[in-house]
Amino acid sequence: WFKTNIFKRMIEQYQEGGVRLYFFFDKLQKCQIKIPSLQEQQKIASYFQKLDSLIQTTSKKLASLKQIKAASLQSMFPQEGETVPKVRFKGFEEEWEKERLCNIASRITRKNKNLESFTPLTISAIEGLVSQLTYFNNIVASSNISGYYLIKNGEFAYNKSYSNGFPYGSIKRLDKFDMGVLSTLYIVFALNKQNTSILSDYLVIFFNTTLWHHEIAKRAEEGARNHGLLNISAEDFLDINIIYPKDLLEQQKIASYFCNLDRQISLQTQRLEKLKQIKAACLDKMFV
């Protein structure tokens, strides 16, 4: 009962003061609350205990999956100065290769001049390239989007904006839309058609690691920040090195492993959110 909005409103009713709120306990003691029979009380308590248990179990499972992903990103890729990862799929032993991004990909600078798309996008470090309307609950793009970059499904974008936990920004592939528009502050690029050395799915996972961070750090102007953006040119960005296993099958196995992990994380996140919504609705509707 103390978790319901009824109790919250009761407290607010007796709050006094200005900047610092307080209430007199003797007033609260005089409040009358409606309670069901002991048998119904027990059923209500038991129901919420089971719901809390499900929420706790799902939270732990979600945290465990996120820990597994973080550990896997660390152990399944060679770290600085290494040529092979600590953990590897059976049957693969060759040293990993290194290639400059500009040798396998090209910058995209096409504009939305023909208004092919009316979907302004943004990069979420967690969710990837998403609609501004969904992410911000608003469209923050200019009313004239003809000068924005037109990005198409399967192409990548680099958001130079740094945030907590993502000191060198985020690089994501457009997967959720056929096309969309991005501010020209982003660096948009795509794998070359003649590229046969690195799979797009593998590159998505590589950019989830921190292995490219030191490449950005070496090229970004030291200490220079511009309105929350890293000071790095498109040319310098495309000069960064990508490390990868030479065998395309190994690349695909790595990509499939992390895609499956991300799918499980997404399912558990949705499940947890749904359970919390159910609890909130029940707390609102099962008490008077």
Side-chain angles (χ1 to χ4, degrees):
W1 184 81
F2 289 118
K3 295 180 179 180
T4 66
N5 287 326
I6 297 172
F7 177 68
K8 182 181 177 181
R9 287 194 293 268
M10 189 177 291
I11 291 292
E12 291 172 348
Q13 181 182 352
Y14 292 102
Q15 280 180 338
E16 298 182 23
V19 176
R20 189 173 182 179
L21 299 173
Y22 61 90
F23 68 91
F24 294 102
F25 187 68
D26 60 327
K27 289 185 177 180
L28 190 63
Q29 283 182 307
K30 296 177 181 178
C31 292
Q32 292 185 341
I33 63 174
K34 297 179 180 180
I35 56 174
S37 66
L38 289 176
Q39 184 180 9
E40 188 173 0
Q41 288 180 43
Q42 186 56 54
K43 284 185 176 292
I44 292 171
S46 177
Y47 173 78
F48 279 100
Q49 285 170 0
K50 289 178 181 178
L51 201 51
D52 283 338
S53 178
L54 282 172
I55 290 173
Q56 186 178 34
T57 300
T58 305
S59 295
K60 287 181 178 179
K61 189 168 184 178
L62 179 58
S64 176
L65 286 168
K66 287 181 177 179
Q67 288 174 357
I68 290 171
K69 180 179 179 180
S72 296
L73 286 171
Q74 184 76 16
S75 62
M76 291 177 67
F77 289 82
Q79 298 307 299
E80 185 74 18
E82 299 176 346
T83 57
V84 293
K86 294 181 177 65
V87 176
R88 205 165 186 182
F89 288 103
K90 188 176 179 180
F92 302 103
E93 298 178 353
E94 285 185 303
E95 291 188 344
W96 284 35
E97 303 280 330
K98 182 183 290 187
E99 186 64 87
R100 290 166 66 199
L101 183 58
C102 61
N103 290 336
I104 61 166
S106 300
R107 187 183 180 194
I108 301 292
T109 57
R110 80 171 76 85
K111 298 292 184 67
N112 189 41
K113 58 183 180 180
N114 295 324
L115 297 178
E116 294 179 58
S117 175
F118 292 92
T119 307
L121 303 174
T122 190
I123 286 185
S124 160
I126 303 299
E127 301 174 39
L129 276 158
V130 294
S131 163
Q132 286 188 4
L133 187 59
T134 302
Y135 190 73
F136 297 116
N137 200 29
N138 189 21
I139 292 179
V140 298
S142 167
S143 57
N144 181 6
I145 55 175
S146 62
Y148 279 51
Y149 286 144
L150 178 67
I151 181 172
K152 296 185 177 181
N153 188 273
E155 296 175 348
F156 292 80
Y158 173 40
N159 180 7
K160 297 185 288 182
S161 177
Y162 55 90
S163 58
N164 187 30
F166 301 90
Y168 294 96
S170 303
I171 305 171
K172 301 295 180 181
R173 184 178 68 184
L174 181 60
D175 293 325
K176 298 178 181 178
F177 302 91
D178 289 333
M179 62 179 69
V181 297
L182 280 170
S183 163
T184 52
L185 292 174
Y186 290 78
I187 297 174
V188 182
F189 63 98
L191 285 172
N192 298 330
K193 290 182 179 179
Q194 64 269 29
N195 160 62
T196 58
S197 57
I198 299 182
L199 297 176
S200 180
D201 287 344
Y202 168 79
L203 202 57
V204 170
I205 307 304
F206 173 78
F207 286 131
N208 278 335
T209 73
T210 60
L211 294 173
W212 54 277
H213 287 188
H214 70 280
E215 293 285 327
I216 298 294
K218 287 190 297 184
R219 291 162 177 79
E221 187 177 335
E222 187 176 355
R225 305 276 166 152
N226 181 22
H227 302 294
L229 298 177
L230 289 162
N231 191 8
I232 182 169
S233 67
E235 291 73 21
D236 284 340
F237 168 72
L238 288 169
D239 190 55
I240 68 173
N241 284 306
I242 307 297
I243 57 171
Y244 63 98
K246 193 173 181 179
D247 196 317
L248 294 178
L249 180 58
E250 186 174 7
Q251 291 184 37
Q252 189 56 61
K253 282 182 174 290
I254 292 170
S256 297
Y257 170 80
F258 282 100
C259 283
N260 181 55
L261 205 50
D262 283 339
R263 196 176 300 114
Q264 293 182 58
I265 289 172
S266 179
L267 287 172
Q268 291 303 318
T269 301
Q270 292 172 23
R271 176 178 170 80
L272 181 59
E273 184 60 31
K274 187 66 176 177
L275 286 169
K276 288 180 177 180
Q277 289 174 358
I278 290 171
K279 181 178 178 180
C282 289
L283 284 171
D284 190 48
K285 295 178 180 179
M286 291 176 67
F287 293 85
V288 293

